[in-house]
Amino acid sequence: MWRRGAHSDAAHHLPAAGAGGSTSAAAAAAGAVRRRRRPGLSCRPSHLFFALLVALFTASLLVVWQLLPIGDGDGDAAADGEEAPAPPDGGGTTRFSASRMVLRAFDTESHLEAARSARRWWPGLEPVRLALVVGTMNIDAESLMLTTLAKSLVGLGYEIEVLAFVDGKAHDIWKAICHVNVVSFEKLKYVDWSKYNTVLVSSLEGKRVVSILMQEPFRLLPVVWLIHDDALGQHLRNYPDPHLSIPNHIEDWRAHFNACTYVVFPDSHLPLLYSPVDTGNFLVIPGSPVDIWAAKRYGLSQSQGTIRNQHGIKEEDVVVLVVGSYLFFDELPWDYVTVLRASAPHVMDMSRTKKLGVQFIFFCGNGTDAYNSAFQELASHMGFPDGSVKHFPMTHDIGNLLMFVDIVLYGSLRQEPGFPPLLLRSMSSEIPIIAPNLTVITKYVTDGIHAFLFNSGDPSTAALAFMRILGDKGLLDTAYSVALEGKLLSKNMLAYDCIVAHVKLLESVLHYPSDARLPLSFSKVKDKTWLWDPFESKAALGNSSSEDERHIHTRNAGILLGESAQTNWTTNSDSNDTSSYDYPSQSDWDDLSEVEIFEDIEMREMEEIDERVEKPLLTWDEVYRNARKSERMKPEGNERDEGELERTGQPVCIYEIYHGEGAWPFLHHGSLYRGITLSKGGRRPRSDDVDAVMRLSVLDNTYYRDLLCEFGAMFAIANRIDTVHKLPWIGFQSWRAAGRKVSLSVSAEETLEKTMAEENHEDVIYYWVPMDTDQTSNFWSTCDCLNAGHCRTLFEDAFRNMYGLPKGVAALPPMPNDGDYWSTLHSWVMPTPSFLKFIMFSRMFVDSLHSLNGNGTEPASCLLGASQPEKRHCYCRILEILVNIWAYHSGRKMVYLNPVTGESREQHPQEERKEMWVKFFNFTLLKSMDEDLAEEADDGMHPGKDQWLWPLTGQVFWPGMADREREEKYIKKLDKKLKNKVKLLERQKSGYKQKPLGQ
């Protein structure tokens, strides 16, 4: 596994890439070529040209080498006891060790181990949930890998939900492993992503999901995007094309990739294709079964002889396919030179001795004329006779070549971060391979059993490998047996490492919440093979699923070409069909610009003409009439919807709390509901939503807004409540209630409105989202589970601090475990006066809780969270259940309203409450405490007034303020009288007398 980041200190290990460093490297390369020149060859200009090409390639390779992440630049290579990577030279081995950097990062303590080491004595309530977004459920290599990964994750204790855009034949396989949900693009915006701990996206169509997750309230959710193909990469390589000229196309993809925690590729050449959109979060996890799958399904559509005849190769010839690294696929195969110049003459001598025809096919580079010419020049200097070498570009179908070749030679000596994909594909095709004994190869392959290896330090030993394969009449039986063993090995050779790497990646990005049932570690992964059996039984792998591939290609074309022209599709678009879009070309944009310029000139000329024309004066009646007409036609900045008009005369209003555009689809419309947003200026268009930040300025501070979460919206409504709410009942509901399918149904809404409309003056709280508690845990143990095990301790300390109780006195209000429901998700209704009393208590409790933290502004010091997101939203979970403690101990009646049926049932009956701390929740006591705090804030005598939270959460008032205002008003009145009297006396002294008017 290796990572290509935005910053690299690789240059620390390399010579300078300027004149001195590149010149010395080039000279060394040229010298190496001269030393290895075949005897008898004179130093002709062509040979000098060849040496110069080697030198220039080495210099350019040095520059490319510096762009790749070789290490972290702090000497870790030496510390690990390994040789530090050296720049490539003309005859040495190029060592690519970028993988070590990321492996070290994942070997550090993961979030899972940190969570496991914490005190976790309480039973976990919820498993760790992962959403896996796939494009299709077809029988293909992508589904094979993802189902195997999902099976391993489920075995470790994760809960997986698959969201697929298109159903397919693999549906039953997926369903046997985890929950499956086929969703359309239009329904994506109705998915509550907050219920997942992370999201894995596994198709280019997942861009639509990433667009949603880039909005609040989902922006903190970790996202891992798995890229399996080069469709977008090839599209970006062809950009800009006049036919594909879409403004901000690359920037749009880069923004979506940047929103992800990691973008994962299955091999090392794909990140190079995607480099235009690289934002520093690219990661490679090799081992995908795509090459094995391709070898299995390619089939024998043509006989070997037929294909050989097409390429001008005799049936009896031995064909050697030379492959190498993908990393420099546009360059000449200079990394093959060392191996082939050392082995080709011996192989050709051996073929003449054994009377065998040998053909070499090079799979490298591109198919341009310039490349072919340079390649032929290079081949002539490697000792090949005329007509024995053919070249195929890397854009050619490798499967077609593997159908008729006899031997595959891996000629690159460059150390790669993962097992070479072309080598794996060759092994899967049951072809004997010859390869250097590089570390990444010998980790899986045994010489003489699965392949024929030669010493990478002595390339001439490659000729010995050919001797072990070639016989008098072709390939020896040993070659066929080794090829068979190699095929069997390749089928599941990289499966375990690939699965473990993905699990380790998830462990590194996941933030495990306090109430999570921790999964097992990656070391407990048991699956060591791909899930071949159900896939092989579903379809014949040899048959080409051309129809599925055609549909995928069509959808990908729509994603690549159409998405960047769509804006705000999640909220405004009703159709995602991009096949019929006609995008404007550059000439269209130029024509539009000329039209706009012409219209602007014409408008200015008309204005100048109107200024010169005389206009008759209007009467005052006409002026007033025109002004009133203008006012009527002027659109409001935020037009009211029908809900506000219908709300007049209603007994209750439920305020739905939300934060960000991602929550808009979960909000209700109508007279019963009204939205309140925690985002400044984030109200829905054409609605009368309340802006909480405008009503309570402390919410404009990101730290306090995250600290209070949805409770901040309640503080905003309570602040000068008469200006926004004048109804006898008030309620609240989190947007998450609709996302989790626990919001009120139509029948429950009717029941609630009917109950509120009755002459009911009883002090009661209705709630419809119950707290999830099992039979083994009570209220406080559940609260501990939600708050990293510190709920009781911190609540008791805050309660004691709030009332000034001594340490020996109990300060934790008892909550019964009677089997009844408790409220959560801020989803309840109560009388408006009771709401104000609850807010009065809550403001003082939050301030007391915050003072335990020294009134600091550092989320890391929060003890109520086990992960960084929980620490950031420190008080949210304890405030979510605070209403239960206040309602129970203040003697309020508590009624659970079934959100589906509308049936109501009293919870924790008042006559059965044995331990109630009514004295602490008495309104007279709380009001006096509130007035004391207001007086302290008014006098400015609080020691930590700069970071004191209480005055920031609402209105500050005490009777002394009214008395002082009356006194100040009276003093101002006396001052004014005194000043007037002084002026009068001064006038009298000066003899000034005002003349009577009219004289």
Short mmCIF file of all heavy atoms in Angstrom, two decimals, residues 492-524:
data_model
loop_
_atom_site.label_atom_id
_atom_site.label_comp_id
_atom_site.label_asym_id
_atom_site.label_seq_id
_atom_site.Cartn_x
_atom_site.Cartn_y
_atom_site.Cartn_z
N ASN A 492 -5.90 -16.42 -5.71
CA ASN A 492 -6.16 -15.80 -4.42
C ASN A 492 -4.89 -15.28 -3.75
O ASN A 492 -4.87 -15.07 -2.54
CB ASN A 492 -6.85 -16.81 -3.48
CG ASN A 492 -8.19 -17.27 -3.99
OD1 ASN A 492 -9.12 -16.49 -4.14
ND2 ASN A 492 -8.28 -18.57 -4.29
N MET A 493 -3.86 -15.07 -4.55
CA MET A 493 -2.55 -14.74 -4.00
C MET A 493 -2.58 -13.44 -3.19
O MET A 493 -1.98 -13.34 -2.12
CB MET A 493 -1.53 -14.63 -5.14
CG MET A 493 -0.12 -14.34 -4.70
SD MET A 493 1.03 -14.37 -6.09
CE MET A 493 0.50 -12.93 -7.00
N LEU A 494 -3.27 -12.44 -3.68
CA LEU A 494 -3.26 -11.12 -3.05
C LEU A 494 -4.53 -10.82 -2.26
O LEU A 494 -4.70 -9.70 -1.77
CB LEU A 494 -3.06 -10.04 -4.11
CG LEU A 494 -1.82 -10.18 -5.00
CD1 LEU A 494 -1.80 -9.07 -6.03
CD2 LEU A 494 -0.55 -10.15 -4.17
N ALA A 495 -5.41 -11.79 -2.14
CA ALA A 495 -6.72 -11.54 -1.52
C ALA A 495 -6.59 -11.08 -0.08
O ALA A 495 -7.16 -10.06 0.33
CB ALA A 495 -7.59 -12.79 -1.62
N TYR A 496 -5.85 -11.82 0.72
CA TYR A 496 -5.77 -11.51 2.15
C TYR A 496 -5.14 -10.14 2.37
O TYR A 496 -5.65 -9.33 3.16
CB TYR A 496 -4.96 -12.59 2.87
CG TYR A 496 -4.79 -12.35 4.35
CD1 TYR A 496 -5.84 -12.57 5.23
CD2 TYR A 496 -3.58 -11.87 4.86
CE1 TYR A 496 -5.69 -12.33 6.59
CE2 TYR A 496 -3.42 -11.63 6.21
CZ TYR A 496 -4.48 -11.87 7.07
OH TYR A 496 -4.33 -11.62 8.42
N ASP A 497 -4.03 -9.87 1.69
CA ASP A 497 -3.37 -8.57 1.86
C ASP A 497 -4.28 -7.42 1.44
O ASP A 497 -4.29 -6.36 2.07
CB ASP A 497 -2.08 -8.53 1.06
CG ASP A 497 -1.00 -9.42 1.65
OD1 ASP A 497 -1.18 -9.86 2.81
OD2 ASP A 497 0.01 -9.68 0.96
N CYS A 498 -5.03 -7.62 0.37
CA CYS A 498 -5.92 -6.57 -0.11
C CYS A 498 -7.04 -6.30 0.90
O CYS A 498 -7.35 -5.14 1.21
CB CYS A 498 -6.51 -6.98 -1.46
SG CYS A 498 -7.62 -5.76 -2.20
N ILE A 499 -7.63 -7.36 1.44
CA ILE A 499 -8.71 -7.19 2.41
C ILE A 499 -8.20 -6.52 3.68
O ILE A 499 -8.80 -5.57 4.21
CB ILE A 499 -9.35 -8.56 2.74
CG1 ILE A 499 -10.02 -9.13 1.49
CG2 ILE A 499 -10.35 -8.43 3.87
CD1 ILE A 499 -10.46 -10.57 1.65
N VAL A 500 -7.06 -7.00 4.18
CA VAL A 500 -6.50 -6.44 5.42
C VAL A 500 -6.16 -4.97 5.23
O VAL A 500 -6.37 -4.14 6.12
CB VAL A 500 -5.27 -7.26 5.85
CG1 VAL A 500 -4.51 -6.53 6.96
CG2 VAL A 500 -5.69 -8.64 6.34
N ALA A 501 -5.60 -4.62 4.06
CA ALA A 501 -5.25 -3.22 3.82
C ALA A 501 -6.48 -2.32 3.84
O ALA A 501 -6.45 -1.21 4.39
CB ALA A 501 -4.52 -3.10 2.49
N HIS A 502 -7.59 -2.79 3.27
CA HIS A 502 -8.82 -1.99 3.29
C HIS A 502 -9.37 -1.86 4.71
O HIS A 502 -9.86 -0.80 5.10
CB HIS A 502 -9.87 -2.62 2.37
CG HIS A 502 -9.67 -2.32 0.92
ND1 HIS A 502 -8.88 -3.10 0.10
CD2 HIS A 502 -10.15 -1.32 0.14
CE1 HIS A 502 -8.90 -2.61 -1.13
NE2 HIS A 502 -9.65 -1.53 -1.13
N VAL A 503 -9.29 -2.94 5.49
CA VAL A 503 -9.78 -2.87 6.87
C VAL A 503 -8.92 -1.92 7.69
O VAL A 503 -9.43 -1.12 8.49
CB VAL A 503 -9.79 -4.28 7.49
CG1 VAL A 503 -10.20 -4.21 8.96
CG2 VAL A 503 -10.75 -5.20 6.73
N LYS A 504 -7.61 -1.98 7.50
CA LYS A 504 -6.72 -1.06 8.22
C LYS A 504 -7.01 0.39 7.82
O LYS A 504 -6.95 1.30 8.66
CB LYS A 504 -5.27 -1.42 7.93
CG LYS A 504 -4.82 -2.73 8.54
CD LYS A 504 -3.39 -3.09 8.13
CE LYS A 504 -2.38 -2.18 8.76
NZ LYS A 504 -1.00 -2.61 8.44
N LEU A 505 -7.31 0.59 6.57
CA LEU A 505 -7.65 1.94 6.12
C LEU A 505 -8.91 2.44 6.82
O LEU A 505 -8.96 3.58 7.29
CB LEU A 505 -7.84 1.95 4.60
CG LEU A 505 -8.37 3.25 3.99
CD1 LEU A 505 -7.39 4.39 4.23
CD2 LEU A 505 -8.64 3.08 2.50
N LEU A 506 -9.91 1.58 6.90
CA LEU A 506 -11.15 1.98 7.58
C LEU A 506 -10.90 2.27 9.05
O LEU A 506 -11.44 3.23 9.62
CB LEU A 506 -12.21 0.88 7.42
CG LEU A 506 -12.80 0.72 6.02
CD1 LEU A 506 -13.75 -0.47 5.99
CD2 LEU A 506 -13.54 1.99 5.62
N GLU A 507 -10.08 1.46 9.69
CA GLU A 507 -9.78 1.70 11.10
C GLU A 507 -9.08 3.04 11.29
O GLU A 507 -9.25 3.68 12.34
CB GLU A 507 -8.90 0.57 11.64
CG GLU A 507 -9.63 -0.76 11.81
CD GLU A 507 -8.76 -1.81 12.45
OE1 GLU A 507 -7.61 -1.48 12.83
OE2 GLU A 507 -9.20 -2.97 12.57
N SER A 508 -8.31 3.46 10.30
CA SER A 508 -7.57 4.71 10.44
C SER A 508 -8.46 5.93 10.23
O SER A 508 -8.14 7.01 10.75
CB SER A 508 -6.40 4.74 9.47
OG SER A 508 -6.86 4.88 8.13
N VAL A 509 -9.54 5.81 9.46
CA VAL A 509 -10.39 6.98 9.18
C VAL A 509 -11.63 7.03 10.06
O VAL A 509 -12.22 8.10 10.24
CB VAL A 509 -10.82 7.00 7.69
CG1 VAL A 509 -9.60 7.02 6.79
CG2 VAL A 509 -11.71 5.82 7.34
N LEU A 510 -12.03 5.89 10.62
CA LEU A 510 -13.24 5.87 11.42
C LEU A 510 -13.02 6.54 12.77
O LEU A 510 -11.98 6.38 13.41
CB LEU A 510 -13.69 4.42 11.64
CG LEU A 510 -14.62 3.82 10.59
CD1 LEU A 510 -14.76 2.33 10.80
CD2 LEU A 510 -15.99 4.48 10.65
N HIS A 511 -14.02 7.29 13.21
CA HIS A 511 -14.06 7.83 14.56
C HIS A 511 -15.17 7.07 15.29
O HIS A 511 -16.35 7.31 15.05
CB HIS A 511 -14.34 9.33 14.55
CG HIS A 511 -13.26 10.13 13.89
ND1 HIS A 511 -12.06 10.40 14.51
CD2 HIS A 511 -13.19 10.72 12.67
CE1 HIS A 511 -11.30 11.13 13.71
NE2 HIS A 511 -11.96 11.32 12.58
N TYR A 512 -14.77 6.19 16.18
CA TYR A 512 -15.74 5.31 16.83
C TYR A 512 -16.46 6.07 17.93
O TYR A 512 -15.84 6.57 18.87
CB TYR A 512 -15.03 4.09 17.40
CG TYR A 512 -14.39 3.23 16.33
CD1 TYR A 512 -13.07 3.44 15.95
CD2 TYR A 512 -15.12 2.26 15.69
CE1 TYR A 512 -12.49 2.67 14.96
CE2 TYR A 512 -14.55 1.47 14.69
CZ TYR A 512 -13.23 1.69 14.33
OH TYR A 512 -12.66 0.94 13.34
N PRO A 513 -17.79 6.20 17.83
CA PRO A 513 -18.54 6.94 18.86
C PRO A 513 -18.57 6.19 20.18
O PRO A 513 -18.23 5.01 20.27
CB PRO A 513 -19.94 7.05 18.25
CG PRO A 513 -20.04 5.92 17.27
CD PRO A 513 -18.65 5.70 16.75
N SER A 514 -18.99 6.90 21.21
CA SER A 514 -18.99 6.32 22.56
C SER A 514 -19.91 5.11 22.67
O SER A 514 -19.62 4.17 23.41
CB SER A 514 -19.42 7.39 23.57
OG SER A 514 -18.54 8.48 23.57
N ASP A 515 -21.02 5.14 21.95
CA ASP A 515 -21.99 4.05 22.08
C ASP A 515 -21.77 2.96 21.03
O ASP A 515 -22.67 2.15 20.78
CB ASP A 515 -23.41 4.60 21.96
CG ASP A 515 -23.66 5.27 20.62
OD1 ASP A 515 -22.68 5.68 19.97
OD2 ASP A 515 -24.84 5.39 20.22
N ALA A 516 -20.59 2.92 20.43
CA ALA A 516 -20.33 1.93 19.38
C ALA A 516 -19.95 0.59 20.00
O ALA A 516 -19.21 0.54 20.99
CB ALA A 516 -19.23 2.41 18.45
N ARG A 517 -20.46 -0.45 19.39
CA ARG A 517 -20.01 -1.80 19.73
C ARG A 517 -18.75 -2.05 18.92
O ARG A 517 -18.81 -2.29 17.72
CB ARG A 517 -21.11 -2.81 19.40
CG ARG A 517 -20.80 -4.24 19.87
CD ARG A 517 -21.90 -5.20 19.47
NE ARG A 517 -23.17 -4.81 20.02
CZ ARG A 517 -24.25 -4.53 19.28
NH1 ARG A 517 -24.17 -4.59 17.96
NH2 ARG A 517 -25.39 -4.18 19.85
N LEU A 518 -17.61 -2.01 19.58
CA LEU A 518 -16.35 -2.01 18.86
C LEU A 518 -16.14 -3.31 18.09
O LEU A 518 -16.32 -4.40 18.64
CB LEU A 518 -15.19 -1.81 19.84
CG LEU A 518 -15.15 -0.45 20.53
CD1 LEU A 518 -13.95 -0.37 21.46
CD2 LEU A 518 -15.11 0.68 19.52
N PRO A 519 -15.77 -3.21 16.81
CA PRO A 519 -15.50 -4.43 16.02
C PRO A 519 -14.15 -5.02 16.36
O PRO A 519 -13.35 -4.44 17.10
CB PRO A 519 -15.53 -3.90 14.58
CG PRO A 519 -15.07 -2.49 14.70
CD PRO A 519 -15.59 -1.99 16.03
N LEU A 520 -13.90 -6.19 15.80
CA LEU A 520 -12.60 -6.84 15.99
C LEU A 520 -11.54 -6.14 15.14
O LEU A 520 -11.86 -5.42 14.19
CB LEU A 520 -12.69 -8.32 15.59
CG LEU A 520 -13.68 -9.18 16.39
CD1 LEU A 520 -13.72 -10.59 15.81
CD2 LEU A 520 -13.32 -9.22 17.86
N SER A 521 -10.30 -6.36 15.49
CA SER A 521 -9.20 -5.73 14.78
C SER A 521 -8.96 -6.42 13.44
O SER A 521 -9.44 -7.53 13.18
CB SER A 521 -7.94 -5.78 15.63
OG SER A 521 -6.82 -5.31 14.91
N PHE A 522 -8.19 -5.75 12.57
CA PHE A 522 -7.88 -6.30 11.25
C PHE A 522 -7.12 -7.61 11.36
O PHE A 522 -7.13 -8.43 10.44
CB PHE A 522 -7.06 -5.29 10.44
CG PHE A 522 -5.67 -5.05 10.99
CD1 PHE A 522 -4.60 -5.83 10.59
CD2 PHE A 522 -5.44 -4.04 11.90
CE1 PHE A 522 -3.34 -5.63 11.09
CE2 PHE A 522 -4.17 -3.82 12.41
CZ PHE A 522 -3.12 -4.62 12.01
N SER A 523 -6.44 -7.83 12.48
CA SER A 523 -5.68 -9.07 12.64
C SER A 523 -6.58 -10.29 12.76
O SER A 523 -6.11 -11.42 12.66
CB SER A 523 -4.78 -8.97 13.89
OG SER A 523 -5.57 -8.73 15.05
N LYS A 524 -7.88 -10.06 12.95
CA LYS A 524 -8.85 -11.17 13.08
C LYS A 524 -9.52 -11.52 11.75
O LYS A 524 -10.46 -12.31 11.73
CB LYS A 524 -9.92 -10.81 14.11
CG LYS A 524 -9.36 -10.44 15.48
CD LYS A 524 -8.64 -11.60 16.14
CE LYS A 524 -8.15 -11.23 17.53
NZ LYS A 524 -7.42 -12.33 18.19
#
